[in-house]
Coordinates of all heavy atoms in Angstrom, one line a residue:
M1 N 3.1 16.1 -32.4 CA 2.6 17.0 -31.4 C 3.5 17.2 -30.2 O 3.7 16.2 -29.5 CB 1.2 16.5 -31.0 CG 0.1 17.6 -31.0 SD -1.4 16.9 -30.4 CE -2.1 16.3 -31.9
A2 N 4.1 18.3 -30.0 CA 5.1 18.4 -29.0 C 4.6 18.2 -27.6 O 5.3 17.7 -26.7 CB 5.7 19.8 -29.1
E3 N 3.3 18.6 -27.4 CA 2.8 18.5 -26.0 C 2.7 17.0 -25.6 O 3.0 16.6 -24.5 CB 1.4 19.1 -25.9 CG 1.3 20.6 -26.0 CD 1.0 21.1 -27.4 OE1 1.5 20.4 -28.4 OE2 0.3 22.0 -27.5
L4 N 2.3 16.2 -26.6 CA 2.2 14.7 -26.3 C 3.6 14.2 -26.0 O 3.7 13.3 -25.1 CB 1.4 14.0 -27.4 CG 0.0 14.3 -27.5 CD1 -0.6 13.6 -28.7 CD2 -0.8 13.9 -26.2
Q5 N 4.5 14.6 -26.8 CA 5.8 14.1 -26.6 C 6.4 14.5 -25.2 O 7.1 13.8 -24.5 CB 6.8 14.6 -27.7 CG 6.6 13.9 -29.0 CD 7.2 14.6 -30.2 OE1 7.8 15.7 -30.0 NE2 7.1 13.9 -31.3
A6 N 6.0 15.7 -24.8 CA 6.5 16.2 -23.4 C 5.8 15.3 -22.4 O 6.4 15.0 -21.4 CB 6.1 17.7 -23.3
L7 N 4.5 15.0 -22.6 CA 3.8 14.2 -21.6 C 4.5 12.8 -21.4 O 4.7 12.3 -20.3 CB 2.4 13.9 -22.0 CG 1.3 15.0 -21.9 CD1 0.0 14.6 -22.4 CD2 1.2 15.4 -20.4
A8 N 4.9 12.3 -22.6 CA 5.5 10.9 -22.5 C 6.9 11.0 -21.9 O 7.3 9.9 -21.3 CB 5.6 10.4 -24.0
S9 N 7.6 12.1 -22.0 CA 9.0 12.1 -21.5 C 9.0 12.6 -20.0 O 10.0 12.6 -19.4 CB 9.9 12.9 -22.4 OG 9.3 14.2 -22.5
A10 N 7.8 13.1 -19.6 CA 7.9 13.7 -18.2 C 8.0 12.5 -17.2 O 7.5 11.4 -17.5 CB 6.5 14.4 -18.0
P11 N 8.6 12.8 -16.1 CA 8.8 11.7 -15.1 C 7.3 11.4 -14.5 O 6.4 12.2 -14.6 CB 9.6 12.3 -14.0 CG 9.5 13.8 -14.2 CD 9.3 14.0 -15.7
A12 N 7.2 10.1 -14.0 CA 6.0 9.7 -13.5 C 5.6 10.6 -12.3 O 6.4 10.8 -11.4 CB 6.0 8.3 -13.1
T13 N 4.3 11.1 -12.3 CA 3.9 11.9 -11.3 C 2.9 11.2 -10.4 O 2.2 11.8 -9.5 CB 3.2 13.2 -11.8 OG1 2.2 12.8 -12.7 CG2 4.2 14.1 -12.5
R14 N 2.7 9.9 -10.6 CA 1.7 9.2 -9.8 C 2.3 8.6 -8.5 O 1.7 7.7 -7.9 CB 1.2 8.0 -10.7 CG 0.5 8.4 -11.9 CD -0.9 9.0 -11.7 NE -1.8 8.1 -10.9 CZ -2.8 8.5 -10.3 NH1 -3.2 9.8 -10.2 NH2 -3.6 7.6 -9.6
K15 N 3.4 9.2 -8.1 CA 4.0 8.7 -6.8 C 3.4 9.6 -5.7 O 3.3 10.8 -5.9 CB 5.5 8.7 -6.9 CG 6.1 7.6 -7.6 CD 7.6 7.7 -7.7 CE 8.2 6.8 -8.6 NZ 9.5 7.2 -9.1
G16 N 3.2 9.0 -4.5 CA 2.8 9.8 -3.4 C 2.6 8.9 -2.2 O 2.8 7.6 -2.3
P17 N 2.2 9.5 -1.1 CA 2.0 8.6 0.1 C 0.8 7.8 -0.1 O -0.1 8.2 -0.9 CB 1.8 9.7 1.2 CG 1.4 10.9 0.5 CD 1.9 10.9 -0.9
P18 N 0.7 6.6 0.5 CA -0.5 5.9 0.4 C -1.7 6.6 1.1 O -1.5 7.4 1.9 CB -0.1 4.6 1.2 CG 0.9 4.9 2.1 CD 1.7 6.1 1.4
C19 N -2.9 6.2 0.7 CA -4.1 6.8 1.3 C -4.2 6.1 2.7 O -3.4 5.2 3.0 CB -5.3 6.6 0.5 SG -5.9 4.9 0.3
S20 N -5.3 6.5 3.4 CA -5.4 5.9 4.8 C -5.8 4.4 4.7 O -5.3 3.7 5.6 CB -6.5 6.7 5.5 OG -7.6 6.9 4.8
I21 N -6.4 4.0 3.6 CA -6.6 2.5 3.5 C -5.2 1.8 3.3 O -4.9 0.8 3.9 CB -7.5 2.2 2.4 CG1 -8.9 2.8 2.5 CG2 -7.6 0.8 2.1 CD1 -9.8 2.2 3.5
G22 N -4.4 2.4 2.4 CA -3.1 1.8 2.2 C -2.2 1.8 3.3 O -1.6 0.8 3.7
A23 N -2.3 2.8 4.2 CA -1.5 3.0 5.4 C -2.0 2.0 6.4 O -1.2 1.3 7.1 CB -1.6 4.4 5.9
F24 N -3.3 1.8 6.5 CA -3.8 0.8 7.4 C -3.5 -0.6 7.0 O -3.0 -1.4 7.8 CB -5.4 0.9 7.4 CG -6.1 -0.1 8.3 CD1 -6.0 0.0 9.7 CD2 -6.7 -1.2 7.7 CE1 -6.6 -1.0 10.5 CE2 -7.3 -2.2 8.6 CZ -7.3 -2.0 9.9
L25 N -3.5 -0.9 5.7 CA -3.1 -2.3 5.2 C -1.6 -2.6 5.6 O -1.3 -3.7 5.9 CB -3.3 -2.4 3.7 CG -4.7 -2.6 3.2 CD1 -4.8 -2.4 1.7 CD2 -5.3 -3.9 3.6
A26 N -0.8 -1.5 5.5 CA 0.6 -1.7 5.8 C 1.0 -1.9 7.2 O 1.9 -2.6 7.5 CB 1.3 -0.4 5.2
R27 N 0.1 -1.4 8.1 CA 0.5 -1.5 9.5 C -0.4 -2.5 10.3 O 0.0 -2.9 11.4 CB 0.4 -0.2 10.2 CG -1.0 0.4 10.5 CD -1.0 1.6 11.4 NE -2.3 2.1 11.6 CZ -3.0 2.9 10.9 NH1 -2.4 3.4 9.8 NH2 -4.3 3.2 11.2
T28 N -1.5 -3.0 9.7 CA -2.4 -3.9 10.5 C -1.8 -5.3 10.4 O -0.9 -5.6 9.7 CB -3.8 -3.8 10.0 OG1 -4.6 -4.4 11.0 CG2 -3.9 -4.5 8.7
Q29 N -2.4 -6.2 11.3 CA -2.0 -7.6 11.3 C -2.3 -8.2 9.9 O -3.3 -7.8 9.2 CB -2.8 -8.4 12.3 CG -2.5 -8.0 13.7 CD -3.5 -8.7 14.7 OE1 -4.2 -9.6 14.3 NE2 -3.6 -8.2 15.9
P30 N -1.4 -9.2 9.4 CA -1.6 -9.8 8.1 C -3.0 -10.3 8.0 O -3.6 -10.2 6.8 CB -0.5 -10.8 8.1 CG 0.5 -10.3 9.0 CD -0.2 -9.6 10.1
S31 N -3.6 -11.0 9.0 CA -4.9 -11.6 8.8 C -5.9 -10.6 8.6 O -6.9 -10.7 7.8 CB -5.3 -12.5 10.0 OG -5.3 -11.7 11.2
T32 N -5.8 -9.4 9.3 CA -6.8 -8.3 9.0 C -6.6 -7.7 7.7 O -7.6 -7.4 6.9 CB -6.5 -7.2 10.1 OG1 -6.7 -7.9 11.4 CG2 -7.6 -6.1 10.0
A33 N -5.3 -7.5 7.2 CA -5.1 -6.9 5.9 C -5.7 -7.9 4.8 O -6.3 -7.4 3.9 CB -3.6 -6.8 5.8
D34 N -5.5 -9.2 5.0 CA -6.0 -10.1 4.0 C -7.5 -10.0 3.9 O -8.1 -9.9 2.8 CB -5.6 -11.5 4.3 CG -4.1 -11.8 4.0 OD1 -3.5 -11.0 3.3 OD2 -3.7 -12.9 4.4
A35 N -8.2 -9.9 5.1 CA -9.6 -9.9 5.1 C -10.1 -8.6 4.4 O -11.1 -8.5 3.7 CB -10.2 -9.9 6.5
L36 N -9.4 -7.5 4.7 CA -9.7 -6.1 4.1 C -9.5 -6.2 2.6 O -10.4 -5.7 1.9 CB -8.9 -5.1 4.8 CG -9.2 -3.6 4.2 CD1 -10.6 -3.3 4.3 CD2 -8.4 -2.6 5.0
R37 N -8.4 -6.8 2.2 CA -8.2 -6.9 0.7 C -9.3 -7.6 0.0 O -9.7 -7.3 -1.0 CB -6.8 -7.5 0.5 CG -5.7 -6.5 0.6 CD -4.4 -7.1 0.0 NE -3.3 -6.3 0.4 CZ -2.5 -6.5 1.5 NH1 -2.8 -7.6 2.2 NH2 -1.5 -5.8 1.8
I38 N -9.7 -8.8 0.7 CA -10.8 -9.5 0.1 C -12.1 -8.7 0.0 O -12.8 -8.6 -1.1 CB -11.0 -10.8 0.9 CG1 -9.8 -11.7 0.7 CG2 -12.3 -11.5 0.5 CD1 -9.8 -12.9 1.6
A39 N -12.4 -7.9 1.1 CA -13.6 -7.1 1.1 C -13.5 -6.0 0.0 O -14.4 -5.8 -0.7 CB -13.7 -6.5 2.4
L40 N -12.3 -5.4 -0.1 CA -12.1 -4.4 -1.2 C -12.3 -5.0 -2.6 O -12.7 -4.3 -3.5 CB -10.7 -3.8 -1.0 CG -10.5 -2.9 0.2 CD1 -9.0 -2.6 0.4 CD2 -11.2 -1.6 0.0
N41 N -11.9 -6.2 -2.7 CA -12.0 -6.9 -4.1 C -13.4 -7.4 -4.4 O -13.5 -8.0 -5.4 CB -10.9 -7.9 -4.3 CG -9.5 -7.3 -4.3 OD1 -9.4 -6.2 -4.7 ND2 -8.5 -8.0 -4.0
T42 N -14.3 -7.3 -3.4 CA -15.6 -7.9 -3.6 C -16.6 -6.7 -3.9 O -16.9 -6.0 -3.0 CB -16.1 -8.6 -2.3 OG1 -15.1 -9.6 -2.0 CG2 -17.4 -9.3 -2.5
P43 N -16.9 -6.6 -5.1 CA -17.7 -5.4 -5.5 C -19.1 -5.3 -4.8 O -19.6 -4.2 -4.7 CB -17.9 -5.5 -7.0 CG -16.9 -6.6 -7.5 CD -16.6 -7.5 -6.3
T44 N -19.5 -6.5 -4.4 CA -20.9 -6.4 -3.8 C -20.8 -5.9 -2.3 O -21.9 -5.6 -1.7 CB -21.5 -7.8 -3.8 OG1 -20.6 -8.8 -3.3 CG2 -21.9 -8.3 -5.2
I45 N -19.7 -5.8 -1.7 CA -19.6 -5.2 -0.4 C -19.5 -3.7 -0.6 O -18.5 -3.2 -1.2 CB -18.4 -5.8 0.3 CG1 -18.5 -7.3 0.5 CG2 -18.2 -5.1 1.6 CD1 -17.3 -7.9 1.1
A46 N -20.4 -3.0 0.0 CA -20.4 -1.5 -0.2 C -19.3 -0.8 0.5 O -18.8 -1.3 1.6 CB -21.7 -1.0 0.4
A47 N -18.8 0.2 -0.1 CA -17.6 0.9 0.5 C -18.0 1.4 1.9 O -17.2 1.5 2.8 CB -17.2 2.1 -0.4
K48 N -19.3 1.9 2.0 CA -19.7 2.3 3.3 C -19.7 1.3 4.4 O -19.3 1.6 5.6 CB -21.2 2.9 3.2 CG -21.6 3.6 4.5 CD -23.0 4.2 4.4 CE -23.3 5.0 5.6 NZ -23.2 4.3 6.9
A49 N -20.0 0.0 4.0 CA -19.9 -1.1 5.0 C -18.5 -1.3 5.5 O -18.2 -1.5 6.7 CB -20.5 -2.3 4.4
I50 N -17.5 -1.2 4.5 CA -16.2 -1.4 4.9 C -15.7 -0.2 5.8 O -15.1 -0.4 6.8 CB -15.3 -1.4 3.6 CG1 -15.6 -2.7 2.9 CG2 -13.8 -1.4 4.0 CD1 -15.0 -2.8 1.5
A51 N -16.1 1.0 5.4 CA -15.7 2.2 6.2 C -16.3 2.1 7.6 O -15.6 2.5 8.6 CB -16.2 3.5 5.5
D52 N -17.6 1.7 7.7 CA -18.2 1.6 9.0 C -17.5 0.6 9.9 O -17.4 0.8 11.1 CB -19.7 1.2 8.8 CG -20.5 2.4 8.3 OD1 -20.0 3.5 8.2 OD2 -21.7 2.2 7.9
T53 N -17.1 -0.5 9.3 CA -16.4 -1.6 10.0 C -15.1 -1.0 10.6 O -14.7 -1.3 11.7 CB -16.2 -2.9 9.2 OG1 -17.5 -3.3 8.7 CG2 -15.6 -4.0 10.0
L54 N -14.3 -0.4 9.7 CA -13.1 0.1 10.1 C -13.2 1.2 11.2 O -12.5 1.3 12.1 CB -12.3 0.7 8.9 CG -11.8 -0.3 7.9 CD1 -11.2 0.4 6.7 CD2 -10.7 -1.2 8.5
A55 N -14.3 2.0 11.1 CA -14.6 3.0 12.0 C -14.8 2.4 13.4 O -14.4 3.0 14.5 CB -15.7 3.9 11.6
R56 N -15.5 1.3 13.4 CA -15.8 0.7 14.8 C -14.5 0.2 15.4 O -14.5 -0.1 16.6 CB -16.7 -0.6 14.5 CG -18.2 -0.2 14.5 CD -19.1 -1.4 14.8 NE -19.0 -2.4 13.8 CZ -19.6 -2.4 12.6 NH1 -20.4 -1.4 12.3 NH2 -19.4 -3.4 11.7
H57 N -13.4 0.0 14.6 CA -12.1 -0.4 15.2 C -11.2 0.8 15.3 O -10.0 0.6 15.4 CB -11.5 -1.5 14.3 CG -12.4 -2.8 14.4 ND1 -12.1 -3.7 15.4 CD2 -13.4 -3.2 13.7 CE1 -13.0 -4.7 15.2 NE2 -13.7 -4.4 14.2
G58 N -11.7 2.0 15.3 CA -11.0 3.2 15.5 C -10.3 3.8 14.4 O -9.5 4.7 14.5
E59 N -10.6 3.3 13.2 CA -10.0 3.9 12.0 C -10.9 4.9 11.4 O -12.1 4.5 11.1 CB -9.6 2.8 10.9 CG -8.6 1.8 11.3 CD -7.3 2.4 11.5 OE1 -6.9 3.3 10.8 OE2 -6.6 2.1 12.5
T60 N -10.5 6.1 11.3 CA -11.4 7.1 10.7 C -11.2 7.1 9.2 O -10.3 7.7 8.7 CB -11.2 8.5 11.2 OG1 -9.7 8.7 11.2 CG2 -11.7 8.7 12.6
V61 N -12.1 6.3 8.5 CA -12.0 6.2 7.0 C -13.4 6.4 6.5 O -14.4 5.9 7.1 CB -11.6 4.7 6.7 CG1 -11.7 4.5 5.2 CG2 -10.1 4.5 7.1
T62 N -13.5 7.2 5.5 CA -14.8 7.5 4.9 C -15.1 6.5 3.7 O -14.1 5.9 3.2 CB -14.9 8.9 4.4 OG1 -14.0 9.0 3.3 CG2 -14.6 9.9 5.4
A63 N -16.3 6.3 3.4 CA -16.8 5.5 2.3 C -16.0 6.0 1.0 O -15.7 5.2 0.1 CB -18.2 5.5 2.1
Y64 N -15.9 7.4 0.9 CA -15.2 7.9 -0.3 C -13.8 7.4 -0.4 O -13.3 7.1 -1.5 CB -15.3 9.4 -0.2 CG -14.6 10.1 -1.4 CD1 -15.2 10.1 -2.6 CD2 -13.3 10.6 -1.2 CE1 -14.5 10.7 -3.7 CE2 -12.6 11.1 -2.2 CZ -13.2 11.1 -3.5 OH -12.5 11.7 -4.6
T65 N -13.1 7.4 0.8 CA -11.7 6.9 0.7 C -11.6 5.5 0.3 O -10.7 5.1 -0.4 CB -11.1 7.1 2.2 OG1 -11.3 8.5 2.5 CG2 -9.6 6.8 2.1
V66 N -12.5 4.6 0.8 CA -12.6 3.2 0.4 C -12.8 3.1 -1.1 O -12.1 2.4 -1.8 CB -13.7 2.5 1.2 CG1 -13.8 1.0 0.7 CG2 -13.4 2.5 2.7
A67 N -13.8 3.9 -1.7 CA -14.1 3.8 -3.0 C -12.9 4.3 -3.9 O -12.5 3.7 -4.9 CB -15.3 4.7 -3.4
R68 N -12.2 5.3 -3.4 CA -11.1 5.9 -4.1 C -10.0 4.8 -4.1 O -9.3 4.6 -5.1 CB -10.6 7.1 -3.4 CG -9.9 8.1 -4.3 CD -9.6 9.4 -3.6 NE -9.0 9.2 -2.3 CZ -7.9 9.8 -1.9 NH1 -7.3 10.6 -2.7 NH2 -7.4 9.5 -0.7
H69 N -9.8 4.1 -3.0 CA -8.7 3.1 -3.0 C -9.0 2.0 -3.9 O -8.1 1.3 -4.5 CB -8.5 2.6 -1.5 CG -7.4 1.6 -1.4 ND1 -6.1 2.0 -1.3 CD2 -7.4 0.3 -1.3 CE1 -5.3 0.9 -1.2 NE2 -6.1 -0.1 -1.2
R70 N -10.3 1.7 -4.1 CA -10.7 0.6 -5.0 C -10.4 1.0 -6.5 O -10.1 0.2 -7.3 CB -12.2 0.4 -5.0 CG -12.6 -0.5 -3.7 CD -14.1 -0.7 -3.7 NE -14.4 -1.9 -2.9 CZ -15.7 -2.2 -2.6 NH1 -16.7 -1.5 -2.8 NH2 -15.9 -3.4 -1.9
R71 N -10.3 2.3 -6.7 CA -9.9 2.9 -8.0 C -8.4 3.1 -8.1 O -8.0 3.9 -9.0 CB -10.7 4.1 -8.4 CG -12.2 3.9 -8.5 CD -12.9 5.0 -9.0 NE -12.6 6.3 -8.3 CZ -13.5 6.8 -7.4 NH1 -14.6 6.1 -7.1 NH2 -13.2 7.8 -6.7
R72 N -7.6 2.7 -7.1 CA -6.2 3.0 -7.1 C -5.5 2.7 -8.4 O -5.8 1.7 -9.1 CB -5.5 2.3 -6.0 CG -5.4 0.7 -6.1 CD -5.1 0.1 -4.8 NE -5.1 -1.3 -4.8 CZ -6.2 -2.1 -4.7 NH1 -7.4 -1.5 -4.6 NH2 -6.2 -3.4 -4.8
G73 N -4.7 3.7 -8.8 CA -3.9 3.5 -10.1 C -4.7 4.2 -11.3 O -4.1 4.6 -12.2
E74 N -6.0 4.4 -11.1 CA -6.8 5.2 -12.1 C -6.6 6.6 -11.9 O -6.3 7.1 -10.7 CB -8.2 4.7 -12.2 CG -8.4 3.2 -12.4 CD -9.8 2.7 -12.3 OE1 -10.7 3.6 -12.6 OE2 -10.0 1.6 -12.0
T75 N -7.0 7.4 -12.8 CA -6.8 8.9 -12.7 C -7.7 9.5 -11.5 O -7.3 10.4 -10.9 CB -7.2 9.6 -14.0 OG1 -8.5 9.2 -14.4 CG2 -6.2 9.4 -15.1
N76 N -8.8 8.8 -11.2 CA -9.6 9.3 -10.1 C -9.5 8.4 -8.9 O -10.4 8.5 -8.0 CB -11.1 9.4 -10.6 CG -11.7 8.1 -11.0 OD1 -11.0 7.1 -11.1 ND2 -13.0 8.0 -11.1
G77 N -8.4 7.6 -8.9 CA -8.3 6.8 -7.6 C -7.1 7.3 -6.8 O -6.6 8.4 -7.0
C78 N -6.8 6.6 -5.7 CA -5.7 7.0 -4.9 C -4.4 6.6 -5.5 O -4.4 6.0 -6.6 CB -5.9 6.4 -3.5 SG -5.6 4.6 -3.5
R79 N -3.3 6.9 -4.8 CA -2.0 6.6 -5.4 C -1.3 5.4 -4.9 O -0.1 5.2 -5.1 CB -1.0 7.8 -5.1 CG -1.6 9.1 -5.9 CD -0.7 10.2 -5.6 NE -1.1 11.4 -6.4 CZ -0.4 12.5 -6.5 NH1 0.8 12.6 -5.9 NH2 -0.7 13.5 -7.3
C80 N -2.0 4.5 -4.2 CA -1.5 3.3 -3.7 C -1.1 2.4 -4.9 O -1.7 2.5 -6.0 CB -2.5 2.5 -2.9 SG -2.9 3.4 -1.3
A81 N -0.2 1.5 -4.7 CA 0.2 0.5 -5.7 C -0.9 -0.5 -6.0 O -1.6 -0.9 -5.0 CB 1.5 -0.2 -5.4
R82 N -1.1 -0.9 -7.2 CA -2.0 -1.9 -7.5 C -1.5 -3.3 -7.2 O -0.4 -3.6 -7.4 CB -2.4 -1.9 -8.9 CG -3.6 -1.0 -9.1 CD -4.6 -1.6 -10.1 NE -5.6 -2.5 -9.4 CZ -6.9 -2.1 -9.1 NH1 -7.2 -0.9 -9.3 NH2 -7.7 -2.9 -8.5
Ligands
ZN1 ZN1 -5.2 3.7 -1.5

């Protein structure tokens, strides 16, 4: 099937700028980034709780962005590195 072969040989298109969560992780203090990564990796912590916490510190991040970052690397996730 030529279409599938074309897909396989096409250059990776999953490159792009990090989402606002990824950008925040890159510029914030390491201790804050670590705490946020732990929260992101804890499924029982709601995306909205994380978004609300970041918002209180001046980061305009929506729960949707948090959820999308949790799915990073998947087709419906953001483009941040896993
Ligand atoms: Zn991201």
Side-chain angles (χ1 to χ4, degrees):
M1 227 183 274
E3 291 99 321
L4 288 176
Q5 284 164 357
L7 282 176
S9 59
T13 54
R14 298 287 302 162
K15 283 180 192 155
C19 71
S20 45
I21 298 286
F24 177 75
L25 283 169
R27 73 169 183 271
T28 194
Q29 295 172 13
S31 60
T32 304
D34 284 348
L36 178 55
R37 280 196 192 91
I38 290 168
L40 287 166
N41 289 334
T42 306
T44 51
I45 299 177
K48 185 176 187 308
I50 295 173
D52 288 350
T53 303
L54 290 174
R56 278 199 296 278
H57 293 271
E59 295 296 319
T60 47
V61 169
T62 65
Y64 176 78
T65 304
V66 174
R68 204 171 54 123
H69 184 77
R70 281 177 155 169
R71 296 191 301 266
R72 63 196 177 280
E74 298 174 30
T75 51
N76 61 349
C78 73
R79 295 180 172 191
C80 294
R82 267 225 88 99

